[in-house]
Amino acid sequence: KISFLINSYRKRIKKLEFINEVLWDQDIIKNWQVNEVREIAGTFNRMVLNDKTHRRFHTLIPSGKGFIPAHFHDFVEVATVLQGELYDNLMSKTVTVGGKMVYAFGEPHEPENIKKEDCLLVVDWVRTISIDEALHYLKLKTKHYNMDYFTL
């Protein structure tokens, strides 16, 4: 069922010219070590948790930077804003401190920081196709995050 969904999304997304997929089992992701910081498209990302169903990152998006061009995943992504604002042009949505930007399995997105202040996020990747399941998992398994927990 999951491979059918991935292939279905790929076909639809490629028609829209969204071809950047970031998949759970890609080597570049699997080889990312906990506490390692990686620069991606001008953003800075520290993996702070990595297990078979959940990955967590602390992410800093400087002004004018973001995860562009659009991409999609074979899991649910939840970005919680700790500082600044997160904007997604594809969703026409802005999220402020304490808010969450939630991306469904296969949903194209391009989060960015269009403000002058840095944007700090806790980004959770949950290996499921269900947003409800991902949010329930995060509610049960993780504590409330604020700036005291953020490291980069």
Side-chain angles (χ1 to χ4, degrees), residues 1 5 13 24 26 39-40 43 45-46 51 57 69 73 77 86 91 99 107 109 113-114 120 127-129 148:
K1 182 178 179 179
L5 283 171
I13 289 167
W24 190 272
Q26 281 177 318
E39 185 270 333
I40 302 168
T43 70
N45 306 271
R46 176 188 299 275
D51 67 32
F57 302 87
H73 307 289
E77 179 176 2
L86 183 64
M91 297 178 76
E107 180 178 18
H109 55 284
N113 178 6
I114 60 173
L120 301 179
R127 195 170 195 182
T128 179
I129 62 172
D148 296 337

Side-chain angles (χ1 to χ4, degrees), residues 8 11 22-23 27-28 51 74 76-77 96-97 107 118-119 132 141:
S8 172
K11 288 175 188 171
V22 179
L23 305 176
D27 286 340
I28 194 164
D51 67 32
D74 61 345
V76 173
E77 179 176 2
T96 59
V97 174
E107 180 178 18
D118 287 344
C119 179
D132 290 340
K141 299 292 183 184

Side-chain angles (χ1 to χ4, degrees), residues 2-148:
I2 289 176
S3 64
F4 170 78
L5 283 171
I6 291 171
N7 289 330
S8 172
Y9 279 118
R10 277 188 186 138
K11 288 175 188 171
R12 282 191 282 167
I13 289 167
K14 285 183 180 180
K15 285 180 186 175
L16 296 171
E17 298 182 6
F18 299 117
I19 57 171
N20 296 309
E21 52 189 3
V22 179
L23 305 176
W24 190 272
D25 287 326
Q26 281 177 318
D27 286 340
I28 194 164
I29 302 299
K30 287 193 315 188
N31 296 328
W32 196 332
Q33 301 298 310
V34 170
N35 290 319
E36 178 185 353
V37 177
R38 291 193 180 176
E39 185 270 333
I40 302 168
T43 70
F44 300 92
N45 306 271
R46 176 188 299 275
M47 181 182 284
V48 295
L49 177 89
N50 184 11
D51 67 32
K52 61 185 177 181
T53 58
H54 182 205
R55 291 180 176 144
R56 172 168 277 175
F57 302 87
H58 290 172
T59 297
L60 180 145
I61 306 177
S63 179
K65 300 295 183 183
F67 295 93
I68 298 171
H71 64 282
F72 64 97
H73 307 289
D74 61 345
F75 48 84
V76 173
E77 179 176 2
V78 179
T80 304
V81 178
L82 301 179
Q83 176 184 302
E85 290 184 6
L86 183 64
Y87 175 72
D88 193 303
N89 185 51
L90 295 178
M91 297 178 76
S92 298
K93 182 177 178 182
T94 300
V95 177
T96 59
V97 174
K100 296 181 184 317
M101 190 81 76
V102 181
Y103 299 109
F105 176 104
E107 180 178 18
H109 55 284
E110 52 182 14
E112 61 183 311
N113 178 6
I114 60 173
K115 298 294 185 179
K116 291 186 189 270
E117 177 185 25
D118 287 344
C119 179
L120 301 179
L121 307 170
V122 172
V123 178
D124 290 291
W125 292 357
V126 183
R127 195 170 195 182
T128 179
I129 62 172
S130 165
I131 288 176
D132 290 340
E133 186 177 297
L135 293 174
H136 181 72
Y137 174 88
L138 292 172
K139 185 176 180 181
L140 290 176
K141 299 292 183 184
T142 63
K143 58 180 145 179
H144 177 72
Y145 263 72
N146 62 39
M147 290 301 293
D148 296 337

